Amino acid sequence: MSQLAPKRSRKAGLPPGTPVHLGERKSETTRLTLLHYNEQRAVEQECKTVQECLALRDSPGVSWINITGLHEVETLAQFGAAFNLHPLVIEDIPNTDQRPKLEDYGEYLYIVIKRLSNDTTTNEISTEQISLILGHNLVISFLESDNGIFNATKERILGKRGRICNLGADYLAYALMDTVVDNYFAIFERLGERIEVLQETIISRPIPASLQTLHALKRELLFLRKSVWPLREVVSGMQRGESTLIHKDTWFYLRDVYDHTIHVIDTIETYRDMLASMMDIYLSSLSIRLNEVMKVLTIIATIFLPLTFIVGIYGMNFHHMPELGWRWGYPLVLLVMAGIAAGMLVFFRRRKWI
């Protein structure tokens, strides 16, 4: 997971409103699709130019234009001119370092959210920026890559399933945001499993590799908090009803997204507290292991202390030592030393030191 911000120095000296693609190029080409639907029918078509996306603009129903690939800033500028978008909006769309936000331009709303994805083989978590333009009977979505996150929503529209075809563009924007937020739960479930495994490892066998994993998880949570936390303000601003583009019927659905967002934020804070306490557990486990090792070494040293004393006496080699001439002196000394060691072991066990 790359946590470095795109190089904003590329925009230095450019006039405000100049679109510059900042971030990793995740799509080879820019793809335009138009999905127009109403209560009776739904039509999807590929568009080669921006003008083709305007073909059904005046038809009754909702138009959903999806743009995949943000590196062709000329195409984004054409969209800005065709739909009368503010230059600052066109500047923000290819800047993939935007934080989730909501901006009201009167005739339309500009929404930025973050999609999270997890590589199950490397456990790497990455983000992609999704920008939404909500207008009158119009939703324009800008994606960095064709990740298929909105395929289920598209299939519901084409299959005329659910209430999405009977409601307006504001409900479509809600459905897209809800899909992104629901995907957060799968990401955090897998992250929670990794934290639980790490916790068991730290308690049972703390090793330096566990400490490295702990620091990596803390960095990931900090990165995820930055991507998710501002979304609460976005959804809260939409459900307050300050824009005429969002109808009252959609407020209840936005409230559900808001609850999900709060749940995700609470999960992040819980995981951060768990990781903070795991650092204390790691240090305590190391201290306990060190104490156990020192305990064993102390017991061994204590047992050998009187034995070393005895051996030291008989190693002085004085000529007049009566025990040196005894026939059974050597085995007797060994027997005494073994008895002392055994007695000390029994004493330590009765005192529950070992």
Side-chain angles (χ1 to χ4, degrees):
M1 175 181 58
S2 176
Q3 300 180 14
L4 298 178
K7 295 183 178 179
R8 291 180 174 266
S9 59
R10 295 175 54 190
K11 301 181 63 176
L14 297 177
T18 303
V20 177
H21 180 241
L22 300 179
E24 181 183 356
R25 179 170 174 172
K26 299 180 179 180
S27 179
E28 293 297 329
T29 59
T30 298
R31 181 186 176 192
L32 311 178
T33 58
L34 170 63
L35 178 58
H36 188 85
Y37 64 92
N38 51 38
E39 297 180 3
Q40 288 75 32
R41 67 190 187 99
V43 178
E44 182 183 16
Q45 68 180 45
E46 291 278 345
C47 301
K48 295 182 179 180
T49 64
V50 175
Q51 296 302 321
E52 292 184 15
C53 297
L54 304 176
L56 302 175
R57 181 70 180 91
D58 297 328
S59 302
V62 177
S63 294
W64 175 17
I65 302 174
N66 185 73
I67 298 93
T68 302
L70 306 180
H71 56 280
E72 296 183 5
V73 294
E74 297 82 4
T75 302
L76 301 180
Q78 293 175 13
F79 264 98
F83 292 94
N84 195 26
L85 301 180
H86 197 280
L88 293 179
V89 173
I90 301 301
E91 178 187 7
D92 286 347
I93 290 175
N95 181 6
T96 59
D97 191 39
Q98 295 291 324
R99 67 192 298 270
K101 63 179 181 179
L102 170 67
E103 295 179 352
D104 189 347
Y105 286 87
E107 293 296 322
Y108 59 90
L109 298 178
Y110 174 52
I111 306 167
V112 176
I113 54 179
K114 295 290 185 177
R115 170 188 177 266
L116 303 180
S117 60
N118 180 235
D119 190 334
T120 56
T121 58
T122 62
N123 287 326
E124 182 178 356
I125 298 178
S126 59
T127 65
E128 290 188 13
Q129 179 169 300
I130 298 177
S131 300
L132 301 176
I133 300 293
L134 171 60
H136 296 283
N137 298 326
L138 172 69
V139 172
I140 307 177
S141 55
F142 299 87
L143 282 67
E144 293 187 60
S145 65
D146 188 9
N147 48 56
I149 187 172
F150 295 146
N151 287 347
T153 305
K154 184 184 299 183
E155 291 174 0
R156 290 208 313 270
I157 295 175
L158 294 175
K160 308 295 291 183
R161 299 193 305 269
R163 61 177 60 88
I164 191 170
C165 294
N166 301 324
L167 299 176
D170 56 337
Y171 186 88
L172 174 60
Y174 147 75
L176 300 181
M177 295 177 62
D178 184 62
T179 301
V180 174
V181 174
D182 286 344
N183 185 60
Y184 290 168
F185 290 101
I187 300 297
F188 282 97
E189 284 178 2
R190 287 191 286 269
L191 185 61
E193 293 173 357
R194 292 170 56 192
I195 292 177
E196 290 179 359
V197 172
L198 178 62
Q199 187 175 32
E200 294 176 358
T201 303
I202 287 179
I203 293 176
S204 60
R205 185 171 176 268
I207 56 178
S210 300
L211 185 61
Q212 296 176 3
T213 304
L214 177 60
H215 284 300
L217 287 173
K218 292 180 70 173
R219 287 195 302 268
E220 286 187 8
L221 278 177
L222 183 63
F223 179 74
L224 294 176
R225 187 177 186 271
K226 176 184 176 183
S227 301
V228 176
W229 187 276
L231 184 59
R232 179 178 64 173
E233 303 174 3
V234 174
V235 182
S236 176
M238 294 179 66
Q239 73 170 356
R240 281 198 297 264
E242 298 176 354
S243 174
T244 58
L245 296 172
I246 301 178
H247 302 90
K248 292 184 179 180
D249 294 338
T250 311
W251 292 353
F252 300 100
Y253 300 104
L254 290 173
R255 186 182 305 168
D256 182 65
V257 177
Y258 181 80
D259 292 339
H260 291 172
T261 304
I262 295 299
H263 188 184
V264 172
I265 293 175
D266 289 343
T267 302
I268 293 177
E269 297 303 318
T270 300
Y271 287 167
R272 292 184 67 192
D273 292 340
M274 290 178 62
L275 292 178
S277 63
M278 284 167 61
M279 177 62 73
D280 296 334
I281 294 175
Y282 176 81
L283 297 176
S284 299
S285 298
L286 286 181
S287 178
I288 291 174
R289 287 192 62 194
L290 180 61
N291 290 338
E292 291 294 330
V293 172
M294 294 302 298
K295 178 181 176 181
V296 173
L297 295 178
T298 302
I299 290 175
I300 294 175
T302 304
I303 292 175
F304 276 89
L305 183 62
L307 307 184
T308 305
F309 176 74
I310 295 175
V311 172
I313 290 177
Y314 285 97
M316 289 187 294
N317 295 323
F318 286 110
H319 181 72
H320 299 286
M321 292 182 68
E323 295 84 357
L324 296 179
W326 292 354
R327 181 177 180 180
W328 302 101
Y330 177 69
L332 181 62
V333 170
L334 292 180
L335 183 61
V336 171
M337 292 171 63
I340 291 175
M344 295 183 70
L345 288 174
V346 172
F347 175 75
F348 292 156
R349 184 169 293 277
R350 287 183 176 180
R351 296 297 299 267
K352 296 182 179 181
W353 291 351
I354 57 174

